[in-house]
Amino acid sequence: MLTLSPILKPASSLATILFAAGALGAEPFTDSELVEIVVTAERREVPVLDVIGSTTRLLEDTIDRRKHQHVHELLTSVPGAWVSRGSGQEHLTAIRSPVLTGAGSCGAFLVLEDGLPIRPSGFCNVNQLFEVFSEAAAGVEVLSGPGNALYGSNALHGTLNFVMPSFEDGRGSSALLEFGANEFRRLQFTAGSDRGLGFIGELTDDGGFRDDTGFSQAKLHGRFSTSVAGGDLDLAMTLTDLDQETAGFILGEDAYLDPAVNRSNPNPEAFRDAESARLYGIWTRSFDQIDLDIRPFVRYSDMTFLQHFLPGQPLEENGQTSGGMNALARLPFGGGSLTLGIDAERASAFLKQTQSGPTTGSPFLVETRPPGKHYDYRVNSTVVAPYAHWRIPATDTVDVTLGLRAERARYDYDNRMADGNLRDDGTACGFGGCLYTRPADRRDTYDNIAPKLGAVWRLSPETALFASLARGFRAPQMTELYRLQSGQLVSDLDSETLDSFEVGWRFRGRAAQASFAIYAMKKKNSVLRDSEGFLVSRGQSRHRGAEFSAQRQIGSTALLKTSLSYGRHVYDFDLTAARGESFRRGLDVDTAPRWMGSLAWVWSPTERAELSFDWNFLSDYFLDAENQHTYPGHALLHSTLRLRLSERWAVTARVRNLLDAVIADRADYAFGNYRYFPGRGREFFLTLAYAPDGRRAD
């Protein structure tokens, strides 16, 4: 049962503070802020009060103010979301979920760029947000919970859509230069024309705050807008490249608190090199009764990294080339609006894993993790998904939506090594066989149906209630199917499903905005990894919680924003894994803080000056499935000062971790050890921006 008392009391207190602040004299939001528009929820522009489900939209000004150097800095204000920072640009994501790790963590969140998935279905990477040019986004929209009928596999716990900028708005040219702690340097440039053609690029170099943990990253986004065949056409591309030295966990209980340890790197040999490219088009045209939206795309990614976190430290190489098209038509039907669409893609992916030398450790580890090649396979995948989404007015104030998506994913797997759990020379390992198991060539097909029923009730021009019942799903990922471990069978894996019920309330006034939602979800057929690294299939879990967010204009110069979420994520099955760890019904899923929140204050005493403070926190959480080991949680305070020196020049000073709190960005317990990625201490960054064509610099 979800107990509301620990949720409603803090939420109501925050609401009272925010709305009482209006007594100081409120300056109304602008019309564009009042009628907030989102595009991800229904694949079209929709006022947020009409959206059925929880959505959060980060505006371009918020992205610019934070000037994030890691994506986790950007999403801290999204209720129920936590992007745990790893080494360099690595990360793990949580949206209405625990921080998911290992097998089963991939593909739980759908990442979109202008509404298109950045990777093929079935070939995810837990770190794939570093393949998005989030620093240049014109907006970020986060859908919490299942992605409903419009979005298919991987839209399980949440969907993130990065809306890239258009150059039709006279964006012009600009340059930004930033320096900061730990030899951080960044150059960002924009080159735009009044004909809809433009580019945004970024070059970043970071020395790293731990030993041997620097990275270099390059990103480029280009766009051209024109008219073709009576419609509007955008052609866009995004390129990313990452060259990173990677740090390993520091070991030992509370090791992150030790200043002699928390800057060390036990794995200076670790690295990650990754590159990606996407080219896509967006063609839209309106006829008398039908609106068309057609989006063809091609994608490429390649990654090489040392798995320093595994005994033997094998090297993984993986990559994919893919292409497809998303197309939809929207037309009037039955007094409402009917959206009919189809998403289709074809991909060719590969994965190799090779260990260069013998494993160190116990005789069991040495014998079952031999040197040489562990995996070498290719997978050709095809995904086709027709869908329908019907929105119909039930009354003058109530809209009802019905949605249905049918999706088929087919994988053609080609093993390029000997089948089974043998060494690469075909000989057997002791202790019952090698850890790494390779299935024989096979074809796997997964059919999934995702229905949705929802309603929104406009209580007034400023207030609405909504309710939704939806299913999300996730077809097994290729690594779960074909990169197996001893004792695991392919036949154990089915599509993961998540059934969700949600009710919520929204308010959009002229000086204040607020939203509140309660959800209950049940997930089946999860793939989990225990604390000894063993895969556990057919897991079940329950997820219940509530989320609150609000913002209030204070006078004519200040803005106060807050978010607060409570979530309880528990196992819903009983199992003792083959290597001893127990999963018990009712225990918390590891790495799932129950409370998370943020508070931001923005003060603009003049048009040329802005001072902001951002505070965020997360509560304690368990580090293992048996709930025997914990991390106490933490809170961080950041500050930003922006000064517009003229229409062409601006300077920004940022202080991250203003109070120099000692934290762990990620805490874990595995292989009998506490493991941590220590968080960064206080860091100062200075940015100088220049707009030569007279467009206001930020």
Side-chain angles (χ1 to χ4, degrees), residues 210-259:
R210 297 172 64 188
D211 298 337
D212 301 303
T213 57
F215 72 84
S216 297
Q217 190 170 42
K219 297 182 178 182
L220 179 68
H221 179 77
R223 200 176 194 97
F224 174 61
S225 302
T226 187
S227 297
V228 172
D232 296 324
L233 175 66
D234 279 5
L235 294 175
M237 71 169 186
T238 300
L239 309 175
T240 70
D241 182 83
L242 174 67
D243 182 3
Q244 172 181 302
E245 297 178 289
T246 302
F249 289 104
I250 57 174
L251 304 179
E253 186 173 2
D254 297 332
Y256 67 96
L257 297 175
D258 187 344

Side-chain angles (χ1 to χ4, degrees), residues 208-531:
F209 85 107
R210 297 172 64 188
D211 298 337
D212 301 303
T213 57
F215 72 84
S216 297
Q217 190 170 42
K219 297 182 178 182
L220 179 68
H221 179 77
R223 200 176 194 97
F224 174 61
S225 302
T226 187
S227 297
V228 172
D232 296 324
L233 175 66
D234 279 5
L235 294 175
M237 71 169 186
T238 300
L239 309 175
T240 70
D241 182 83
L242 174 67
D243 182 3
Q244 172 181 302
E245 297 178 289
T246 302
F249 289 104
I250 57 174
L251 304 179
E253 186 173 2
D254 297 332
Y256 67 96
L257 297 175
D258 187 344
V261 176
N262 63 13
R263 288 179 175 265
S264 66
N265 177 11
N267 300 105
E269 72 282 1
F271 71 94
R272 182 185 297 270
D273 296 333
E275 59 186 28
S276 71
R278 294 181 296 278
L279 175 65
Y280 56 94
I282 304 173
W283 182 77
T284 58
R285 182 177 178 181
S286 296
F287 297 88
D288 290 339
Q289 296 288 318
I290 300 177
D291 294 332
L292 294 180
D293 187 319
I294 299 175
R295 305 189 182 202
F297 59 87
V298 292
R299 301 171 299 211
Y300 159 83
S301 66
D302 187 85
M303 185 182 303
T304 302
F305 69 99
L306 188 70
Q307 299 180 82
H308 60 279
F309 44 85
L310 294 180
Q313 297 189 330
L315 181 75
E316 179 178 327
E317 303 167 84
N318 68 68
Q320 58 84 24
T321 56
S322 57
M325 183 171 66
N326 292 4
L328 66 83
R330 188 172 293 108
L331 63 155
F333 179 78
S337 174
L338 176 64
T339 300
L340 298 173
I342 186 167
D343 298 342
E345 70 173 31
R346 176 78 172 169
S348 177
F350 74 90
L351 183 143
K352 296 179 182 179
Q353 179 174 307
T354 309
Q355 185 172 312
S356 61
T359 303
T360 59
S362 69
F364 175 79
L365 289 177
V366 172
E367 184 63 25
T368 59
R369 299 174 183 260
K373 191 184 296 185
H374 298 156
Y375 303 102
D376 184 358
Y377 65 76
R378 291 185 177 271
V379 181
N380 292 323
S381 66
T382 303
V383 178
V384 178
Y387 61 87
H389 182 268
W390 184 30
R391 184 172 186 131
I392 182 171
T395 70
D396 290 341
T397 58
V398 176
D399 281 4
V400 175
T401 63
L402 299 170
L404 185 66
R405 182 185 185 92
E407 183 167 303
R408 165 164 285 196
R410 191 185 78 184
Y411 304 146
D412 293 302
Y413 159 75
D414 176 21
N415 177 34
R416 301 192 169 191
M417 294 181 63
D419 301 338
N421 58 341
L422 303 173
R423 301 175 190 266
D424 61 358
D425 62 4
T427 60
C429 294
F431 294 93
C434 305
L435 174 68
Y436 305 109
T437 301
R438 299 172 293 273
D441 295 354
R442 58 183 294 130
R443 173 178 293 176
D444 294 287
T445 301
Y446 296 92
D447 294 319
N448 288 284
I449 300 291
K452 178 174 182 178
L453 171 64
V456 60
W457 180 16
R458 292 291 291 264
L459 301 176
S460 72
E462 298 177 330
T463 311
L465 296 175
F466 67 85
S468 70
L469 183 63
R471 165 166 288 190
F473 64 89
R474 186 195 74 124
Q477 302 297 294
M478 298 172 190
T479 51
E480 298 164 5
L481 289 168
Y482 311 124
R483 186 163 69 175
L484 306 184
Q485 296 190 21
S486 179
Q488 186 186 14
L489 300 174
V490 174
S491 57
D492 287 341
L493 300 183
D494 295 319
S495 291
E496 193 171 359
T497 61
L498 186 145
D499 294 320
S500 170
F501 176 69
E502 177 183 10
V503 294
W505 165 85
R506 284 195 185 94
F507 171 77
R508 291 294 184 271
R510 298 209 55 93
Q513 301 178 0
S515 63
F516 181 72
I518 302 173
Y519 64 88
M521 307 187 297
K522 183 166 184 177
K523 186 163 64 172
K524 297 180 180 180
N525 297 321
S526 300
V527 179
L528 306 172
R529 186 186 297 275
D530 69 14
S531 63

